[in-house]
Amino acid sequence: MDIGEVSKTSGLPASTLRYYEEKGLIRSSGRNGLRRLFNTDVIEQLALISLGRNAGFSLDEIGEMFTDDGLEINRQLLLEKADELDKKIKELTSMRNGLRHAAACSAPSHLECPKFRRLLHIAGKNRSRKSSSLTKNAGKQR
Amino acid sequence: MDIGEVSKTSGLPASTLRYYEEKGLIRSSGRNGLRRLFNTDVIEQLALISLGRNAGFSLDEIGEMFTDDGLEINRQLLLEKADELDKKIKELTSMRNGLRHAAACSAPSHLECPKFRRLLHIAGKNRSRKSSSLTKNAGKQR
DNA sequence: ATACCACCTCAAGTCGACTTTAGGTCAAGC
DNA sequence: GCTTGACCTAAAGTCGACTTGAGGTGGTAT
């Protein structure tokens, strides 16, 4: 299939596909003249990449997790990433509970509500870079 | 307290605090000459901001959720954000399970493993922008 | 009085992940 | 034979969230 079809079925713009290829995250199986040709399984690889991005991994991290062709992988690394996700899941869960409580709580200021304040201590050390995909615009193709 | 102390206790560089103030996420209570003065509760507001960032919200979103001074809030918005988090938590959970499975699975290629492939269908429509903080560098102050 | 330190402002730079733009190739249809 | 549409490349631009740099202020210690 050529890039237009991959784009349509994956929902990703062609420019992104070229970019991913350049970064080594996907591969085109060859060329028809100057046009890239892709195998159908690139669709699944792209799904995997999307999933990883959505989970907050950088393209580089994803690249490390799933190398080139058949997904020969570093099991140790995967387990580490799974542990990171576990931690993150706990944080998000607290945050979600905190938000639900804040929406219901009647304390004059949330900073005075003990339940809410407890949430703050989860924050503490967890400083880090970059943020995550909770933006809701899903299928936008210019 | 002045900015150096806020920086030390919050773990955030002074430049970030100035930036947050400029964006209206925090407020300095006044000036001592040219130096900003902060109330101690700014520490908790910063914890809240960090938590939100960590959960993947943008500074603008955080700004909407918790307005200025006493955290007078839009309850409806908070509930929506909580729902977003719920969705995200489910995705991360699937991803985590997928990673654990991938690390253990013996299928020649993961794309051939049905358990793994099931994971891919979670991806599907969930395309969005920007990614998340699973980078582990916590306290780095240049 | 001068050095130092912790702050200040404003502008520009950085980073990741893309997107946009400008100009070019090529097969198919009129 | 020329236009059209789908592709191509390389380089530059964008966006959010900061960081860095250059040059300045003001209070305290020597």
Side-chain angles (χ1 to χ4, degrees):
Chain A
M1 52 202 318
D2 68 26
I3 206 170
E5 198 180 342
V6 177
S7 172
K8 215 178 324 167
T9 63
S10 71
L12 296 166
S15 60
T16 300
L17 302 177
R18 288 190 205 102
Y19 176 68
Y20 282 0
E21 190 190 15
E22 198 184 352
K23 286 222 92 181
L25 279 98
I26 57 174
R27 281 190 189 174
S28 48
S29 49
R31 295 279 177 136
N32 170 15
L34 39 62
R35 307 186 167 209
R36 285 164 183 81
L37 291 178
F38 293 94
N39 292 339
T40 56
D41 62 357
V42 79
I43 297 298
E44 255 135 2
Q45 296 200 20
L46 287 169
L48 211 42
I49 292 169
S50 294
L51 206 55
R53 292 279 302 117
N54 213 313
F57 296 109
S58 70
L59 294 181
D60 285 351
E61 285 177 303
I62 293 169
E64 286 168 26
M65 287 194 264
F66 313 101
T67 54
D68 36 79
D69 54 319
L71 304 190
E72 194 40 59
I73 44 160
N74 179 339
R75 288 158 202 280
Q76 183 53 41
L77 181 62
L78 257 44
L79 291 176
E80 281 166 27
K81 295 300 180 187
D83 288 350
E84 282 178 42
L85 285 181
D86 254 345
K87 191 166 153 258
K88 184 98 175 174
I89 288 165
K90 281 186 189 111
E91 289 165 13
L92 295 200
T93 302
S94 308
M95 179 86 186
R96 179 205 57 192
N97 294 342
L99 289 181
R100 294 233 161 92
H101 172 72
C105 181
S106 56
S109 157
H110 289 288
L111 288 182
E112 284 160 31
C113 169
K115 212 161 177 176
F116 195 78
R117 291 178 60 106
R118 223 178 303 142
L119 165 66
L120 296 181
H121 297 317
I122 298 157
K125 298 286 83 181
N126 297 63
R127 287 303 302 157
S128 46
R129 305 237 54 206
K130 294 269 107 191
S131 199
S132 161
S133 58
L134 288 166
T135 35
K136 39 290 81 279
N137 30 16
K140 40 60 177 304
Q141 198 96 267
R142 87 156 276 99
Chain B
M1 52 204 316
D2 68 27
I3 206 170
E5 198 180 343
V6 176
S7 172
K8 214 178 326 166
T9 62
S10 71
L12 296 166
S15 60
T16 300
L17 302 177
R18 289 189 205 102
Y19 176 68
Y20 282 180
E21 190 191 12
E22 198 183 352
K23 287 222 90 182
L25 279 97
I26 58 173
R27 282 190 188 175
S28 47
S29 48
R31 295 278 178 135
N32 170 15
L34 39 61
R35 306 184 168 210
R36 286 164 183 79
L37 291 179
F38 292 95
N39 292 339
T40 56
D41 62 358
V42 78
I43 298 298
E44 255 135 2
Q45 296 200 20
L46 288 169
L48 210 43
I49 293 170
S50 293
L51 208 53
R53 293 279 301 116
N54 213 313
F57 296 109
S58 71
L59 294 182
D60 285 352
E61 285 177 303
I62 293 170
E64 286 168 25
M65 286 194 265
F66 312 101
T67 54
D68 38 77
D69 53 320
L71 304 191
E72 195 42 58
I73 44 160
N74 179 339
R75 287 158 203 280
Q76 183 52 43
L77 180 62
L78 256 45
L79 291 176
E80 280 166 26
K81 295 300 180 186
D83 288 349
E84 283 179 41
L85 285 181
D86 253 346
K87 189 167 154 257
K88 184 96 176 179
I89 287 165
K90 281 185 189 113
E91 289 166 14
L92 295 201
T93 302
S94 307
M95 179 87 185
R96 179 205 57 192
N97 294 342
L99 289 181
R100 292 234 162 92
H101 173 72
C105 180
S106 56
S109 157
H110 289 289
L111 289 182
E112 285 161 31
C113 169
K115 211 162 177 173
F116 196 77
R117 290 178 59 105
R118 222 178 303 142
L119 166 66
L120 296 182
H121 297 317
I122 299 158
K125 297 286 82 183
N126 296 64
R127 287 303 303 156
S128 47
R129 306 237 54 209
K130 294 269 106 188
S131 199
S132 159
S133 59
L134 288 165
T135 34
K136 39 288 150 216
N137 30 19
K140 41 56 178 304
Q141 199 98 268
R142 86 155 274 104

